[in-house]
Structure formats: structure tokens, C-alpha cells
Amino acid sequence: MVSVKQVQVTFDCAKPERLARFWCEILGYVVPSPPEGFDTWDDYNRTLPPEKQDASFVCSDPTGVGPRLYFQRVPEGKVVKNRVHLCVRAGTGLVGDERLAALQAESDRLTALGASQQRVLLADEENESCIVMQDIEGNEFCLD
């Protein structure tokens, strides 16, 4: 039996590079260097056929620990809630008011980047507080 060593998360979107750079800001990810022989991704992009230009973009964890994120342009817009979403672990190890304050501070930072806060889910008997957000293309994610 083969063991999976890495996971890539793929986002369907309208503007791959814009969304990838947004997620770089959220996660501290980086855009890989352009292919050999190109000074920039724009230089590389211009060599592609028109239908392939701006069709995809990538970002990755500079430590190599987190999954690679792949963004691919699709013609249709987002219509319904995501069935899978990312949870950004901004409150790990914190509880109560301290956790909620850390999550809200991160929500404020991400809102300044173009995200939107959807709702705050307060702690109950089973779960700690979290904040439901949307990225710049409306994809749901949580701050937890």
C-alpha cells in the first residue's frame, strides 16, 4: 500500500494570481520562483497561448510543512457554500476571552486584505470559539 506524503489544496477561482497572493498574506506562504529562463511569472505567462495565460497560480509553505495551494481559473462563479474549507489556526492553545480577542485581531487583519467576517461562533460545551470568514472570492474559511 502506498502512503501519501503530501497534499495539495486546489481552489477553483476567477483570478488565480490575485487569490494566491491573498492566501500568501494569510498563511505566510510564498510564490515559487518562475521557471528557469524567466525573470518573472509575467515573463513566463506571456509565452503561453492566450487561453492558458493567467489560468493558474501556486503558493507554498516556505518551510515545506504545509500543503501546496493551487489556484485554477474556471468559467463559473461560486454559487453555494464550500463542502470543504480551510481552518486557519489563529487561536491554538488559547481559550475564552483571550482566544476570541486573538481571533478577532486576525479577522481585522484579514478584513483589511479584503476578506469578510461572516459570523462569530462562541464557545459552547463542545467547541471553542471560531470566526467564519470569506476570502476575496467568497470561499469560506474559519479562524480557529
Side-chain angles (χ1 to χ4, degrees):
M1 177 182 238
V2 175
S3 172
V4 175
K5 302 291 187 220
Q6 294 182 348
V7 171
Q8 171 176 285
V9 178
T10 300
F11 290 73
D12 289 352
C13 58
K15 296 183 179 179
E17 182 175 354
R18 180 173 179 251
L19 192 56
R21 292 187 184 281
F22 172 83
W23 278 97
C24 282
E25 289 294 321
I26 289 179
L27 301 174
Y29 273 33
V30 296
V31 173
S33 299
E36 189 173 324
F38 296 95
D39 292 330
T40 68
W41 280 103
D42 286 338
D43 291 342
Y44 171 75
N45 197 44
R46 284 190 286 274
T47 67
L48 299 174
E51 67 277 5
K52 300 271 187 187
Q53 292 178 5
D54 302 314
S56 63
F57 213 78
V58 170
C59 64
S60 58
D61 181 351
T63 68
V65 174
R68 178 180 190 245
L69 303 182
Y70 180 79
F71 302 85
Q72 62 186 7
R73 185 180 63 220
V74 296
E76 68 278 358
K78 184 176 177 306
V79 179
V80 298
K81 180 182 178 293
N82 301 7
R83 300 245 354 232
V84 174
H85 66 270
L86 299 183
C87 290
V88 178
R89 307 298 310 272
T92 302
L94 302 175
V95 296
D97 290 342
E98 186 179 18
R99 178 185 176 88
L100 198 52
L103 295 177
Q104 190 57 58
E106 183 65 0
S107 176
D108 293 345
R109 181 181 82 85
L110 302 182
T111 299
L113 296 172
S116 60
Q117 181 175 305
Q118 299 301 297
R119 65 187 172 282
V120 176
L121 301 174
L122 297 176
D124 59 25
E125 296 80 33
E126 295 179 32
N127 301 299
E128 268 297 337
S129 297
C130 70
I131 298 178
V132 179
M133 305 283 295
Q134 285 186 341
D135 70 16
I136 57 176
E137 288 204 9
N139 300 300
E140 295 88 6
F141 66 98
C142 291
L143 296 177
D144 80 354

